[in-house]
Amino acid sequence: MRGVRRAPGIAGAGSRGPVSQASLLRLYHRFRALDRNKKGYLSRMDLQQIGALAVNPLGERIIDSFFPDGNLRLDFPGFVRVLAHFRPIDDEDPGIRDPKEPEPLNSRMNKLRFAFQLYDLDRDGKISRHEMLQVLRLMVGVQVTEEQLESIADRTVQEADEDGDGAVSFLEFTKSLEKMDIEQKMSIRILK
Amino acid sequence: MSGRGAPGPRCGLLLALLLALGALPRARGVEEQSGGASQGFQVVSFKWHHVKDPYIIALWILVASLAKIGFHLSHKVTSVVPESALLIVLGLVLGGIVWAADHIASFTLTPTVFFFYLLPPIVLDAGYFMPNRLFFGNLGTILLYAVVGTVWNAATTGLSLYGVFLSGLMGDLKVGLLDFLLFGSLIAAVDPVAVLAVFEEVHVNEVLFIIVFGESLLNDAVTVVLYNVFESFVTLGGDKVTGVDCVKGIVSFFVVSLGGTLVGVVFAFLLSLVTRFTKHVRIIEPGFVFVISYLSYLTSEMLSLSAILAITFCGICCQKYVKANISEQSATTVRYTMKMLASGAETIIFMFLGISAVNPRIWKWNTAFVLLTLVFISVYRAIGVVLQTWVLNRYRMVQLEIIDQVVMSYGGLRGAVAFALVVLLDEQKVKERNLFVSTTIIVVFFTVVFQGLTIKPLVQWLKVKRSQHREPKLNEKLHGRAFDHILSAIEDISGQIGHNYLRDKWSNFDRKFLSKILMRRSAQKSRDRILNVFHELNLKDAISYVAEGERRGSLAFIRSPSTDNMVNVDFSTPRPSTVEASVSYLLRENVSAVCLDMQSLEQRRRSIRDTEDMATHHTLQQYLYKPRQEYKHLYSRHELTPNEDEKQDKEIFHRTMRKRLESFKSAKLGINQNKKAAKLYKRERAQKRRNSSIPNGKLPMESPVHNFTIKEKDPEEAPDYGAEMGGGIEFLANVTQDTTATDSPSGIDNPVFSPDEDLSTLSRVPPWLSPGETVVPSQRARVQIPCSPGNFHRLAPFRLSSKSVDSFLQADAPEEQPRTTLPESTHM
């Protein structure tokens, strides 16, 4: 366990890591518990065995987000890195933060970026209408027809799209959600 | 609309009842003079006296039940007014009639009847259906509120009232400090009956629910102790109380509470043991549950320990084993009977509360006393809650927010327990008993009726206040919902409910010792074997299902051709689902669900230009899958099973499974692709693992002996999967190869499935596809694929590998059918 804290990637921005000490310990125990065969890393199936994810419409995508770039193994720093996005945003004075340091993972932008990446499967930096449609399909019940879905997807893209390229870039995405309380919606208290 | 026609027959019903009741007192006076003077043989005689007692009881039960029907005839009323309030009002009316007819209060809620017959079913119901994991997970919090909170309430209320009395505001009363403390102790406790009755109407998040609910159950020990202590002090006389007595009082608290719990646990053990051997007397199995639990209550009462604690813990502890041991039909019978008894008892209690109030003999009014009591209990409860929450939040993982605290303080209702306790007071010892009785009645009525009525609007107002009033955009709706899903997924991954050392220890102990003693051997065996084999079965199950479905084109359900009128949403009323959404969850949303509807209405009225836009909004609103927090429905006294949410889960599950199978299929076919295939292949395996983790209810955590340890117990899934997976669990496949069954210590860890992507291993056929095995698709598949077991030859061979899978198609009837483990709506 001692080595974990010094492992690369855990020490996040500055002296305060991506998550607090206590949370880190909890997450480590969780990591160990999920790691079936004590391999030391997690594979997709370890995450897939969490039953609740099977009934979560976005479950598969979220699992994929833990394995970026075709990785097959998820080590503990990577695990923490993803979860660190969901740490509640500190109410501390942002002016204290050193502007040269990378933005903390749980900033509003990074939370949104995480969500954006869930939509943008081909990583082109935009959510095309097709990708929006795919997400919609996942999230809606079976009674909705294809035409309705397409029209919803069209409207959603239209609403957010400002430069008229038929796709939603990250900035447009952010702008469309500027009034939403992302901090609350994408935070888990236990990660404080 | 249906309400309008109802008053007619409903009034008629009530009138008939009232007439019957009015006749009763008269009838009681009628003596049978049948055989009196030499009248010879009477052909028919009116033997009222003969049947009087049972008749009256049965008639009251009938009245209460009919009243319930009557109330529900008008949906509008019941959605605003809690049923308990309606029952109290009805009781008042009936009491008035009885009084008017006879001028004596013939029917009251006597403590004997209450404590011996009406309260046990309710508490047993609470214990038996208690979501154990949640309960024990929050046990510290619950205990703090129950013990410290109740003592705080009692002490402050009693002392404040005494203080006011000393100041002379109350006029001349023959009371002393001890009397006030006694009164404080019985009025302080939150009542389980009332709390649940109200929380059914206001859906709150599960943590909040379990805290208030648990508190209302566990504070009985404190109430009993305080009540007895102060009553004996009052009997002794204020000046004769010594320090030793006080110490004895404190000691008695521990004895009473722990003793009561112990009694409950012992009886739970007995009950589980007994049900282990009831295989041949299935028909009376349900009886054991009730009788033994009731005995635990009575035994504890006999030993002057806390009876409520005893029966609660009896229910909590025996849940798992009883459900594993008794047959399915018995389990259903137990469930229904318990709910019926509890619901009926609650109805009768509230009605009789109303009736008992109409008894001018007990009425003594003292304005200051009554008003101050009301004020004090509310204020001190709020203070107590705030203080304790502040302390707790430093130690809790999941914090309790302001809105939770408001609900907790406001939802601290007093009920029949306080009333029964106050009626028990002896007038000789407590001179002002009548004053106490009347005040208690007022307090109970106030909390149940007024607070019950207003808690829902209060909560909504608070939530509405926090949301911003603006037009929600499509993006916000969609992405907002997506974020909710993401959040619950992350919560699940990060184990928010969490991995608990104590719990693991307990489940190890349970598996090694307790289950061996208490669970039927067949249940144990099936549980073990299931864990080993189920995941494989499920995959085969899935394959056959998908194959058959695709063959018949029925899996196009994923995007089915539209049914008509899908967008004809009724704009006139806000949808009930949005209104009843959970408190904290809704408060988390910036765009409140309730507001959405109103704004949509506004939008519609204002601009009809874009009706399509409206339609879009509403389709989205209506058909978006609900995230987990919103729809999980916990304990309910009046409902047995969760309803719609199973459908949603089923859909998503099917879809997920289908996707995984498809990717697996493509992986196997394109076996030359390297990493991708391995990835997908592992995903398949993971899927099987995942599936095996789902059915739990009685499936405890695995022992480390088996290499794959299923640590993730998702009790929330239990009710959702119970129906479908129950069938899947229900059968055993004859898997003949080496990787399965309890024998192999490596469990599933066949080198083929090893996580290391050794691609050469991919060429080996997965063992469950090797020929020479007989596999039967699970019952679930059989149920959903409309073909009989004999017809499986119709299944198209699902070519997953070069070797044929014909053996897969030779379906035999399953050899052995271990009992299904239908997890209940409890959350173990």
Side-chain angles (χ1 to χ4, degrees):
Chain A
M1 181 55 209
R2 237 160 279 204
V4 174
R5 259 177 258 130
R6 286 191 225 108
I10 292 289
S15 56
R16 291 177 300 115
V19 287
S20 72
Q21 218 71 304
S23 307
L24 206 57
L25 198 52
R26 259 199 295 269
L27 288 179
Y28 185 68
H29 282 302
R30 177 65 174 169
F31 184 83
R32 288 271 297 272
L34 286 176
D35 179 10
R36 284 291 149 96
N37 312 313
K38 306 290 171 239
K39 316 181 280 291
Y41 57 88
L42 291 181
S43 60
R44 258 218 179 75
M45 74 185 83
D46 291 321
L47 286 183
Q48 282 178 331
Q49 94 219 343
I50 302 175
L53 286 181
V55 276
N56 190 311
L58 299 176
E60 290 292 296
R61 293 209 176 190
I62 292 170
I63 294 180
D64 291 337
S65 72
F66 279 88
F67 297 91
D69 313 320
N71 280 350
L72 288 164
R73 301 184 184 205
L74 176 66
D75 58 359
F76 185 60
F79 185 67
V80 172
R81 213 172 295 126
V82 173
L83 291 180
H85 282 99
F86 291 88
R87 190 179 179 199
I89 296 182
D90 293 322
D91 297 324
E92 293 178 18
D93 184 3
I96 297 179
R97 206 168 56 76
D98 183 1
K100 282 200 223 70
E101 284 177 7
E103 215 178 319
L105 278 176
N106 64 337
S107 72
R108 186 192 163 88
M109 284 307 251
N110 278 326
K111 285 186 203 271
L112 284 172
R113 203 164 281 139
F114 181 79
F116 190 80
Q117 275 166 6
L118 283 183
Y119 292 112
D120 183 17
L121 291 178
D122 54 8
R123 301 300 164 91
D124 60 354
K126 291 183 195 273
I127 307 178
S128 67
R129 180 185 160 281
H130 177 67
E131 285 165 344
M132 188 72 83
L133 187 59
Q134 280 179 317
V135 173
L136 259 178
R137 268 206 212 107
L138 284 179
M139 295 206 345
V140 179
V142 299
Q143 312 94 313
V144 186
T145 65
E146 192 64 27
E147 302 85 47
Q148 281 179 311
L149 276 179
E150 291 190 5
S151 97
I152 296 176
D154 280 331
R155 267 172 220 295
T156 316
V157 171
Q158 250 172 24
E159 209 179 59
D161 189 15
E162 287 173 5
D163 55 9
D165 58 355
V168 181
S169 72
F170 179 61
L171 286 172
E172 289 164 353
F173 182 71
T174 327
K175 194 135 179 279
S176 74
L177 296 176
E178 65 189 348
K179 299 236 189 71
M180 187 181 289
D181 187 3
I182 300 293
E183 291 79 359
Q184 209 188 32
K185 263 195 175 313
M186 301 250 299
S187 299
I188 312 181
R189 286 184 285 197
I190 63 162
L191 289 178
K192 223 172 174 77
Chain B
M1 278 131 323
S2 63
R4 220 149 296 136
R10 187 164 36 136
C11 285
L13 257 172
L14 284 178
L15 267 174
L17 279 169
L18 298 177
L19 282 176
L21 287 170
L24 270 179
R26 304 270 161 75
R28 276 183 324 146
V30 171
E31 280 296 308
E32 3 171 338
Q33 316 218 339
S34 44
S38 51
Q39 293 203 357
F41 177 72
Q42 291 262 330
V43 176
V44 169
S45 46
F46 187 71
K47 294 200 262 191
W48 169 248
H49 209 67
H50 198 56
V51 297
K52 178 182 80 167
D53 292 322
Y55 204 98
I56 293 185
I57 295 174
L59 208 55
W60 276 118
I61 297 179
L62 184 62
V63 168
S65 316
L66 287 174
K68 251 174 115 85
I69 302 180
F71 294 144
H72 283 278
L73 286 174
S74 161
H75 179 73
K76 254 197 203 164
V77 172
T78 44
S79 61
V80 172
V81 186
E83 208 177 272
S84 38
L86 287 171
L87 283 166
I88 287 187
V89 169
L90 174 70
L92 283 172
V93 169
L94 289 178
I97 294 179
V98 169
W99 175 260
D102 217 15
H103 291 284
I104 48 167
S106 8
F107 308 106
T108 51
L109 186 65
T110 53
T112 324
V113 166
F114 176 72
F115 280 120
F116 284 148
Y117 302 116
L118 293 177
L119 190 58
I122 295 181
V123 184
L124 177 61
D125 176 66
Y128 193 77
F129 291 106
M130 175 75 77
N132 269 359
R133 190 184 210 184
L134 210 53
F135 179 72
F136 285 110
N138 287 294
L139 192 59
T141 312
I142 294 178
L143 277 176
L144 186 73
Y145 281 118
V147 176
V148 173
T150 314
V151 171
W152 160 267
N153 282 343
T156 51
T157 313
L159 289 173
S160 317
L161 284 173
Y162 181 60
V164 174
F165 168 68
L166 283 181
S167 75
L169 260 180
M170 289 187 199
D172 196 21
L173 298 173
K174 305 195 245 355
V175 280
L177 171 65
L178 285 173
D179 295 291
F180 280 116
L181 284 174
L182 177 59
F183 180 69
S185 70
L186 61 88
I187 203 86
V190 174
D191 185 77
V193 182
V195 156
L196 250 175
V198 160
F199 270 7
E200 296 241 352
E201 324 265 339
V202 184
H203 294 192
V204 296
N205 72 66
E206 52 185 26
V207 171
L208 183 57
F209 171 80
I210 200 69
I211 290 177
V212 183
F213 185 39
E215 178 200 347
S216 67
L217 283 176
L218 293 190
N219 65 19
D220 176 62
V222 181
T223 312
V224 161
V225 167
L226 284 177
Y227 181 81
N228 286 333
V229 159
F230 285 124
E231 205 193 356
S232 56
F233 282 4
V234 166
T235 318
L236 282 178
D239 29 347
K240 298 206 195 68
V241 176
T242 64
V244 180
D245 291 321
C246 289
V247 171
K248 275 204 251 176
I250 298 181
V251 169
S252 80
F253 164 68
F254 287 104
V255 168
V256 161
S257 51
L258 293 172
T261 314
L262 198 61
V263 168
V265 171
V266 165
F267 274 88
F269 187 84
L270 276 173
L271 176 58
S272 318
L273 198 55
V274 164
T275 51
R276 188 180 170 189
F277 301 109
T278 53
K279 188 163 175 199
H280 299 287
V281 284
R282 292 255 186 229
I283 201 71
I284 59 170
E285 265 179 337
F288 283 112
V289 176
F290 293 103
V291 167
I292 297 185
S293 312
Y294 191 49
L295 276 178
S296 78
Y297 184 87
L298 293 176
T299 310
S300 179
E301 187 72 34
M302 175 178 76
L303 299 172
S304 75
L305 303 170
S306 166
I308 291 188
L309 278 187
I311 200 173
T312 305
F313 277 96
C314 183
I316 287 180
C317 299
C318 79
Q319 267 185 29
K320 175 170 146 182
Y321 306 106
V322 165
K323 286 173 196 168
N325 284 340
I326 62 181
S327 72
E328 222 185 293
Q329 291 94 333
S330 302
T332 313
T333 311
V334 168
R335 279 208 318 272
Y336 268 94
T337 315
M338 227 181 256
K339 289 288 178 198
M340 183 187 79
L341 288 176
S343 192
E346 181 195 337
T347 315
I348 295 182
I349 288 178
F350 281 118
M351 197 174 69
F352 266 85
L353 267 179
I355 296 179
S356 316
V358 184
N359 183 0
R361 265 192 227 141
I362 56 164
W363 276 91
K364 181 170 177 189
W365 180 266
N366 183 319
T367 322
F369 190 72
V370 169
L371 283 178
L372 284 170
T373 310
L374 282 174
V375 166
F376 284 147
I377 58 172
S378 321
V379 166
Y380 285 126
R381 176 155 176 90
I383 297 179
V385 163
V386 167
L387 283 178
Q388 288 168 93
T389 315
W390 179 79
V391 170
L392 278 174
N393 271 343
R394 295 143 80 90
Y395 300 103
R396 275 182 64 89
M397 228 167 51
V398 177
Q399 309 277 283
L400 293 166
E401 304 167 347
I402 300 283
I403 183 63
D404 296 331
Q405 294 171 43
V406 168
V407 172
M408 264 195 280
S409 341
Y410 203 68
L413 308 183
R414 274 66 174 180
V417 173
F419 177 75
L421 284 176
V422 87
V423 168
L424 265 179
L425 289 177
D426 186 351
E427 186 141 14
Q428 311 303 320
K429 300 186 194 150
V430 181
K431 304 278 184 335
E432 292 290 344
R433 171 194 182 264
N434 285 337
L435 173 63
F436 288 172
V437 170
S438 2
T439 314
T440 309
I441 292 183
I442 305 260
V443 167
V444 168
F445 281 15
F446 178 78
T447 56
V448 171
V449 175
F450 181 70
Q451 278 179 249
L453 259 173
T454 52
I455 193 167
K456 206 153 132 189
L458 171 76
V459 154
Q460 280 174 6
W461 175 76
L462 278 170
K463 167 205 67 187
V464 166
K465 219 172 69 136
R466 279 183 48 171
S467 67
Q468 300 161 18
H469 287 269
R470 54 194 178 78
E471 187 181 309
K473 300 195 285 186
L474 258 186
N475 269 290
E476 286 172 359
K477 267 199 232 192
L478 179 64
H479 298 311
R481 195 52 70 89
F483 291 161
D484 294 324
H485 287 305
I486 296 175
L487 196 62
S488 38
I490 295 287
E491 282 174 348
D492 291 322
I493 292 181
S494 68
Q496 186 196 16
I497 316 285
H499 169 75
N500 194 331
Y501 173 72
L502 267 180
R503 196 164 46 227
D504 291 340
K505 272 270 190 256
W506 167 257
S507 64
N508 271 337
F509 169 71
D510 171 62
R511 194 185 32 259
K512 284 199 193 117
F513 301 111
L514 285 184
S515 299
K516 293 224 166 68
I517 308 175
L518 297 177
M519 259 212 251
R520 212 167 275 186
R521 212 161 284 143
S522 56
Q524 287 176 51
K525 259 194 272 176
S526 65
R527 180 198 65 199
D528 291 335
R529 222 178 283 163
I530 281 166
L531 286 174
N532 281 323
V533 175
F534 179 65
H535 56 281
E536 294 188 18
L537 302 180
N538 214 18
L539 185 56
K540 290 186 253 270
D541 181 20
I543 291 171
S544 64
Y545 174 67
V546 170
E548 178 63 11
E550 278 176 332
R551 197 188 69 85
R552 292 163 161 249
S554 63
L555 269 188
F557 73 73
I558 299 246
R559 283 297 148 231
S560 63
S562 74
T563 57
D564 309 351
N565 304 333
M566 240 179 324
V567 192
N568 266 355
V569 184
D570 180 14
F571 287 120
S572 51
T573 54
R575 249 184 306 280
S577 62
T578 55
V579 169
E580 288 168 6
S582 79
V583 172
S584 295
Y585 168 68
L586 279 179
L587 284 177
R588 272 219 301 231
E589 291 216 44
N590 269 340
V591 187
S592 79
V594 171
C595 275
L596 271 179
D597 269 306
M598 306 217 210
Q599 285 164 12
S600 312
L601 290 176
E602 278 308 303
Q603 230 182 349
R604 181 175 212 221
R605 275 184 234 121
R606 267 190 260 121
S607 62
I608 318 277
R609 59 181 160 95
D610 211 350
T611 45
E612 273 197 12
D613 207 29
M614 278 310 307
T616 314
H617 272 263
H618 264 272
T619 311
L620 211 57
Q621 181 65 27
Q622 191 177 21
Y623 291 113
L624 271 179
Y625 282 135
K626 291 180 276 188
R628 183 187 61 201
Q629 296 95 327
E630 194 178 313
Y631 71 75
K632 286 301 175 189
H633 199 116
L634 263 189
Y635 168 82
S636 158
R637 186 168 290 146
H638 305 290
E639 287 177 32
L640 269 173
T641 46
N643 34 26
E644 284 267 318
D645 320 320
E646 287 193 32
K647 208 175 70 159
Q648 169 178 329
D649 283 344
K650 249 198 230 177
E651 283 175 12
I652 305 181
F653 184 67
H654 285 164
R655 191 184 287 154
T656 315
M657 201 135 83
R658 185 163 176 256
K659 249 198 303 190
R660 293 184 185 183
L661 280 174
E662 281 190 353
S663 46
F664 179 72
K665 189 165 52 161
S666 61
K668 286 307 285 174
L669 288 181
I671 209 164
N672 293 323
Q673 306 170 32
N674 290 341
K675 266 200 171 181
K676 195 154 176 259
K679 229 184 342 172
L680 296 169
Y681 194 71
K682 282 192 305 175
R683 205 183 293 160
E684 277 323 300
R685 189 158 170 247
Q687 174 208 324
K688 299 187 298 190
R689 290 258 170 101
R690 173 188 43 76
N691 292 341
S692 62
S693 77
I694 293 167
N696 57 74
K698 60 165 216 180
L699 299 180
M701 302 185 188
E702 264 292 295
S703 76
V705 169
H706 306 281
N707 251 358
F708 62 106
T709 49
I710 299 180
K711 297 259 179 162
E712 188 61 27
K713 213 155 75 137
D714 289 302
E716 294 86 11
E717 305 307 327
D720 312 312
Y721 290 112
E724 34 173 315
M725 290 306 156
I729 307 174
E730 206 180 31
F731 107 90
L732 257 196
N734 229 353
V735 196
T736 54
Q737 67 296 33
D738 48 349
T739 58
T740 61
T742 39
D743 334 296
S744 156
S746 64
I748 271 294
D749 273 356
N750 180 305
V752 176
F753 297 108
S754 73
D756 300 302
E757 47 275 65
D758 185 8
L759 297 169
S760 57
T761 65
L762 279 182
S763 53
R764 281 181 54 183
V765 177
W768 49 263
L769 282 182
S770 56
E773 82 177 359
T774 323
V775 170
V776 182
S778 81
Q779 233 185 20
R780 176 179 72 87
R782 233 182 288 140
V783 162
Q784 289 173 344
I785 302 177
C787 40
S788 60
N791 286 351
F792 277 116
H793 61 275
R794 294 201 284 122
L795 282 179
F798 194 71
R799 291 262 146 70
L800 287 182
S801 72
S802 48
K803 306 206 179 174
S804 103
V805 284
D806 295 326
S807 59
F808 172 69
L809 306 171
Q810 294 157 18
D812 301 326
E815 286 198 356
E816 183 193 338
Q817 297 224 351
R819 253 188 359 90
T820 190
T821 73
L822 269 185
E824 322 251 312
S825 45
T826 71
H827 302 262
M828 245 299 291

